[in-house]
Amino acid sequence: MSRKAERSPMHHRTVPYGSLFRREPDTSDSFIDLNRLMTILMRRARLIALSVVVALALGVLYLVFATPLYTAMTTPQSSQQADTRLASAIEILKSGRLALRVVDDLDLSQNETILNPPQSPVSLAKGWVKSLASLGSGGAAPSAEAEAEGRRQKAAAMLQQGLGVERVARSSVVAVSFRSPDPQLSATIAKAYAEAFFAEQLSANVHASEQASAWLQERLADIQQRSQAAALEVERYRNENGLTAARGELMSEQQLADLNSQLIVAQADAASASARYNQFRAIVEQGPERAVANATIPARQGDNSIVQDLRGRYNAVVKREGEITRSFGADHPQATALRAEKEDLARQIYQELQQLTASYRNDYDVARSREISLRESIEKVAGSNAEANRSSVQLRTLEQKATALKTLSDAYLARYEQATQQQSFPIAKARVISDAGVPTAASSPSRTLTIGLSLVLGLMGGGALTFLQEMRERSFRVGNDIRAVLGLRPLGYLPLVGARKERAQPARPEDGGADEGDVIPFERMTRIVLDAPGSAFAETLRHARLASDMMLHGRESRVIGIVSALPQEGKSTVAINFAALLAASGKRTLLIDADLRRPSLTGMLNPAPQAGLVEVLLGQAAWNQAIKVDRRSKLAVLPAGGRMRGGEVHHPNELMASAGMKRLFDELRQTFDYVIVDLAPLAPVVDVKTFEPLADGFLFVVEWGKTPSPLVRDLLTAESRIEAKIVGVVLNKTDMTALPRYSDFGAAEKYRSLYDQYCTDSVPPVPARQKSAPTQG
């Protein structure tokens, strides 16, 4: 993040210092960061483990105090395969009516195991609460009958609670189980349920058969009466309309069929007679001369032996005549006699053909007359049959009605006989394929399930607590948090000091005594960089100095403000040690306590100063007279003011922005290489904002794991001029032991133990007598 450089009255800038090292916040938002997730799990492992242990302990307590329950199971098989019927059977087994039947069969209304089973502590507590709630409601005592019925209903309700009914896979088998503290009682009730179900099924079948028989009998009588009436109506209508039937057909229809058959035969006979007659007539009409030549046709078609004999004799005479004529000539007497005989035979043949023609004419006339007679009979019968057909339409309707009623009557009669037989021989539609045995081991509570569930719930609870803890985590833990939230450069970690109590140690000679005015006896915590120069604390401040030198390169004198967002973040301790580090390196360094509202640095000076920054700004003292110098580190310190009391400076922000303040820093720049200014917190007051034009850079101090990151982000976003001058951010009061737990795998914080090998000194603890001092700003 870069912004246009701001100009100060004393120096000109072209590039904001923060832009040299600042990195843009990481705006990537991956769906699941496995590395970070593993880091969180490792960091909260103790919390998750504690949650699991508590859950397991509760599970063990449940197993210890829970009443063991035994489950007995019987498996009846139903012959009904339809899913709806099996579902109905299951609901019947679960019904209250069947439960009451089992209660009555086993006399369970007097069984205390059923009525008052052992209860868990939670159930007992609920019972006590209900008892206390019912104490105030008075009423008349119930009668003996009502009390007995109440016990009976309660026993049935308890049976329904302990009953389990379910279908076995997709089969027709139903598993019936019952849970009870008594294993023998569980088996007895499971068997009783199967027997009660069978009895209930038989009773339902008998009752249904009785109802069906009564209804069928009533319907059968009505249908038979209607069928008989329909049959009588058919016969009456047939008689009224002359629709006499034989072999299933009307007489008129049979007569018409016979006449049609006869007509066909008569037509064939007439045609045959006509053909014969026409042929013989044509032969006769040709004359006697040609009749003999054509006599072959009638001779073949007719069955006349005379014509055939005459024809044979004629042919013999013609043959003989031919032979005589060829042998003796035509005038031979024998040839003449043969010609006379031939002529006589021809005459006889012609006469015979005339007789046959007349006979065939008579046959034709008879066949034709019969054909005409049959046609007249058919026309007469057809006219009467048309009227019968119109009447037969209504007849067929009546016959169909009578037939339907007869069929329905027969069907109802068969169903009635079947219902009567079922009523006489009731058969159950289910059977038991597995009897309920006495259970030998408790089915509830399950140790494996309880422990497994406790483990899972413990993990879930630990995960939920971890989630809540992480959601509450809104502070800075690692350097990546600084980069991601603020977009600034992290300069390192300052370990938490003063955590262990020790006895006071004698002051070293180089510390000086209280009576030496030119030596300031700082609290030991303000000398960490001097007492432990090889510690991680000092190394972090060296990193901060390096960053300051790089960003403020080219300036002979540098004014650096030490600032924090909130009070008690340790900025004063950082300011003292940072200034001491610079002074110990040979740089002319001045430390100014500019927190005029709570001057914690001034309170550490012993003896108390007589003059300070307030007196210098008010013109009551010169700055070189108010400065105190530490002989060991050569650090010059300008306190806030001499003998300051709360409330004496009412408007410190006006002093910070005064012209005297500007003149003072112009003079200090001419004398010192570094001017370190301990400023008031940024959030509660405006002192830092008024001092900003005089500063070259700011070192921002954040308390590790405590300072809210949204607060710091909002403050710096609102104060862009201050943000642009921030050299870097130091995480103070860091728990170096817990630090690796907050970093990702492979991050630098994971290798702090290796880095410590290069730290030759450890941070000295603060003595117990110094704990009351405001040592951390």
Side-chain angles (χ1 to χ4, degrees):
M1 179 177 62
S2 62
R3 293 181 176 85
K4 186 176 180 180
E6 301 291 339
R7 295 181 179 271
S8 71
M10 301 178 60
H11 296 278
H12 298 282
R13 305 185 186 95
T14 58
V15 179
Y17 303 136
S19 64
L20 296 177
F21 295 97
R22 188 170 304 151
R23 181 182 301 177
E24 292 295 331
D26 185 10
T27 59
S28 63
D29 185 14
S30 59
F31 180 66
I32 296 179
D33 189 348
L34 296 179
N35 192 10
R36 183 172 179 82
L37 181 60
M38 289 301 299
T39 302
I40 293 174
L41 293 178
M42 294 297 294
R43 181 167 63 250
R44 304 295 181 181
R46 294 181 180 178
L47 178 62
I48 296 175
L50 178 61
S51 177
V52 171
V53 170
V54 171
L56 289 176
L58 293 176
V60 171
L61 289 176
Y62 171 75
L63 291 176
V64 171
F65 291 101
T67 302
L69 299 178
Y70 297 86
T71 302
M73 179 182 296
T74 181
T75 52
Q77 181 186 21
S78 176
S79 60
Q80 300 172 348
Q81 298 292 336
D83 291 342
T84 55
R85 294 183 178 180
L86 283 175
S88 300
I90 291 174
E91 293 302 322
I92 290 173
L93 284 166
K94 294 179 179 179
S95 65
R97 178 176 178 178
L98 198 64
L100 289 172
R101 185 164 188 164
V102 173
V103 169
D104 295 338
D105 292 344
L106 299 180
D107 195 19
L108 296 179
S109 59
Q110 306 299 324
N111 193 312
E112 291 297 326
T113 304
I114 295 296
L115 295 175
N116 299 305
Q119 297 181 350
S120 63
V122 176
S123 300
L124 289 175
K126 291 181 179 179
W128 292 339
V129 172
K130 291 181 180 179
S131 300
L132 293 176
S134 61
L135 288 178
S137 58
S143 61
E145 293 78 6
E147 184 177 358
E149 181 62 23
R151 294 173 64 88
R152 181 170 174 266
Q153 295 292 338
K154 181 179 179 180
M158 298 301 294
L159 286 186
Q160 288 180 290
Q161 291 180 7
L163 180 67
V165 183
E166 61 181 4
R167 182 180 181 180
V168 179
R170 298 291 299 174
S171 66
S172 60
V173 177
V174 178
V176 181
S177 61
F178 186 78
R179 289 189 311 172
S180 171
D182 187 353
Q184 183 65 44
L185 183 61
S186 298
T188 302
I189 293 177
K191 293 179 181 178
Y193 254 102
E195 295 173 356
F197 175 69
F198 294 151
E200 182 71 19
Q201 195 175 53
L202 288 176
S203 176
N205 291 339
V206 170
H207 182 66
S209 298
E210 291 177 352
Q211 290 183 336
S213 298
W215 183 81
L216 286 172
Q217 185 176 8
E218 181 180 354
R219 291 290 297 164
L220 181 60
D222 178 63
I223 292 173
Q224 287 178 345
Q225 182 179 0
R226 290 168 57 193
S227 176
Q228 184 178 4
L232 293 175
E233 179 67 17
V234 170
E235 295 300 328
R236 183 187 62 78
Y237 186 82
R238 181 182 284 118
N239 294 332
E240 290 178 355
N241 293 274
L243 301 176
T244 305
R247 296 191 301 275
E249 295 182 358
L250 295 176
M251 295 296 293
S252 58
E253 293 179 353
Q254 294 180 5
Q255 186 179 5
L256 182 61
D258 293 340
L259 289 175
N260 285 328
S261 299
Q262 294 176 14
L263 177 62
I264 293 172
V265 174
Q267 288 176 345
D269 293 342
S272 177
S274 175
R276 289 193 299 269
Y277 168 68
N278 291 331
Q279 286 180 348
F280 279 92
R281 186 183 66 178
I283 294 171
V284 171
E285 288 177 353
Q286 292 177 3
E289 295 79 7
R290 302 183 62 182
V292 177
N294 296 327
T296 57
I297 297 175
R300 184 176 64 250
Q301 293 182 356
D303 192 13
N304 194 300
S305 60
I306 296 175
V307 175
Q308 293 178 357
D309 292 340
L310 291 174
R311 178 63 181 168
R313 291 170 59 191
Y314 181 82
N315 290 334
V317 170
V318 171
K319 182 179 179 183
R320 181 65 177 164
E321 179 188 4
E323 292 175 353
I324 295 296
T325 300
R326 285 191 300 271
S327 301
F328 300 105
D331 294 333
H332 190 273
Q334 190 174 359
T336 301
L338 289 172
R339 282 194 295 272
E341 185 180 0
K342 182 179 70 172
E343 291 175 357
D344 183 59
L345 288 172
R347 180 183 55 78
Q348 292 180 14
I349 291 173
Y350 182 74
Q351 291 178 353
E352 189 64 30
L353 288 174
Q354 287 180 335
Q355 293 178 0
L356 288 174
T357 301
S359 176
Y360 286 146
R361 172 63 184 269
N362 293 331
D363 293 341
Y364 171 71
D365 291 340
V366 172
R368 181 63 180 167
S369 298
R370 184 170 180 271
E371 180 183 357
I372 293 172
S373 176
L374 288 174
R375 288 184 182 277
E376 293 175 353
S377 299
I378 288 174
E379 291 177 358
K380 182 179 179 181
V381 173
S384 61
N385 191 48
E387 182 65 25
N389 286 337
R390 287 190 293 270
S391 300
S392 65
V393 173
Q394 179 64 24
L395 179 63
R396 282 194 293 269
T397 302
L398 295 175
E399 288 177 344
Q400 291 175 357
K401 179 180 179 181
T403 302
L405 289 173
K406 182 66 170 61
T407 304
L408 185 62
S409 175
D410 294 340
Y412 268 86
L413 181 60
R415 292 292 302 273
Y416 176 73
E417 294 295 335
Q418 183 180 2
T420 304
Q421 291 178 2
Q422 290 180 354
Q423 182 178 355
S424 303
F425 304 99
I427 301 175
K429 296 182 179 180
R431 64 189 180 94
V432 174
I433 63 175
S434 177
D435 290 327
V438 179
T440 58
S443 60
S444 176
S446 174
R447 291 187 176 90
T448 304
L449 180 61
T450 302
I451 296 300
L453 185 61
S454 299
L455 180 61
V456 172
L457 292 178
L459 291 174
M460 293 176 62
L465 293 176
T466 299
F467 176 77
L468 293 177
Q469 290 291 337
E470 290 298 321
M471 290 299 295
R472 294 179 56 191
E473 187 67 45
R474 291 294 182 268
S475 58
F476 297 98
R477 294 289 186 177
V478 293
N480 285 334
D481 296 341
I482 302 296
R483 296 188 185 94
V485 178
L486 304 180
L488 299 175
R489 181 183 183 182
L491 299 178
Y493 305 93
L494 295 177
L496 177 65
V497 295
R500 296 190 304 270
K501 294 183 179 182
E502 294 183 357
R503 291 179 299 176
Q505 298 180 2
R508 291 181 294 183
E510 60 268 26
D511 291 342
D515 55 346
E516 297 181 15
D518 57 343
V519 178
I520 303 173
F522 286 108
E523 301 289 347
R524 289 195 60 190
M525 205 164 75
T526 64
R527 292 178 173 269
I528 295 176
V529 296
L530 302 178
D531 295 339
S535 64
F537 192 98
E539 192 65 28
T540 299
L541 292 182
R542 290 190 187 96
H543 189 194
R545 176 190 174 180
L546 178 61
S548 301
D549 291 344
M550 292 178 64
M551 294 180 64
L552 304 178
H553 179 69
R555 289 167 175 76
E556 296 181 357
S557 179
R558 299 158 186 175
V559 178
I560 301 175
I562 310 299
V563 65
S564 65
L566 298 172
Q568 303 297 325
E569 292 193 68
K571 62 178 179 57
S572 298
T573 302
V574 175
I576 296 174
N577 284 276
F578 185 58
L581 178 68
L582 296 172
S585 65
K587 298 294 183 180
R588 295 173 298 169
T589 305
L590 172 64
L591 174 62
I592 300 178
D593 185 4
D595 188 356
L596 303 182
R597 302 174 189 267
R598 296 188 62 185
S600 57
L601 286 179
T602 302
M604 295 181 186
L605 299 179
N606 188 16
Q610 299 298 319
L613 179 61
V614 175
E615 286 76 12
V616 172
L617 295 178
L618 295 177
Q620 298 176 0
W623 64 268
N624 52 5
Q625 295 177 355
I627 287 177
K628 301 294 183 179
V629 180
D630 179 28
R631 185 177 61 184
R632 180 183 178 188
S633 63
K634 306 303 181 183
L635 173 64
V637 178
L638 178 60
R643 297 184 300 276
M644 286 192 61
R645 299 292 184 270
E648 292 185 359
V649 181
H650 298 287
H651 302 289
N653 58 305
E654 296 180 359
L655 291 178
M656 300 291 289
S658 63
M661 191 72 161
K662 180 176 177 301
R663 289 194 302 270
L664 171 63
F665 274 85
D666 289 340
E667 296 177 4
L668 294 177
R669 288 179 183 273
Q670 302 299 323
T671 305
F672 296 96
D673 297 325
Y674 289 92
V675 178
I676 308 302
V677 184
D678 182 18
L679 295 169
L682 180 60
V685 294
V686 299
D687 296 3
V688 180
K689 304 174 187 178
T690 58
F691 179 75
E692 177 269 328
L694 303 178
D696 296 328
F698 291 97
L699 182 62
F700 206 94
V701 179
V702 173
E703 184 173 353
W704 182 86
K706 185 175 181 181
T707 305
S709 56
L711 172 64
V712 179
R713 180 191 59 209
D714 295 342
L715 288 175
L716 296 182
T717 301
E719 303 299 333
S720 58
R721 296 164 61 92
I722 297 176
E723 183 184 14
K725 294 183 179 181
I726 292 179
V727 174
V729 180
V730 175
L731 289 172
N732 192 26
K733 302 183 183 179
T734 304
D735 187 351
M736 304 304 289
T737 303
L739 178 62
R741 298 201 299 266
Y742 290 90
S743 62
D744 297 338
F745 290 98
E749 291 79 7
K750 290 291 185 182
Y751 303 97
R752 295 301 304 181
S753 59
L754 299 179
Y755 297 170
D756 291 341
Q757 296 178 6
Y758 286 86
C759 298
T760 57
D761 297 326
S762 59
V763 177
V766 178
R769 64 182 180 86
Q770 299 178 8
K771 295 296 287 183
S772 60
T775 58
Q776 301 227 10

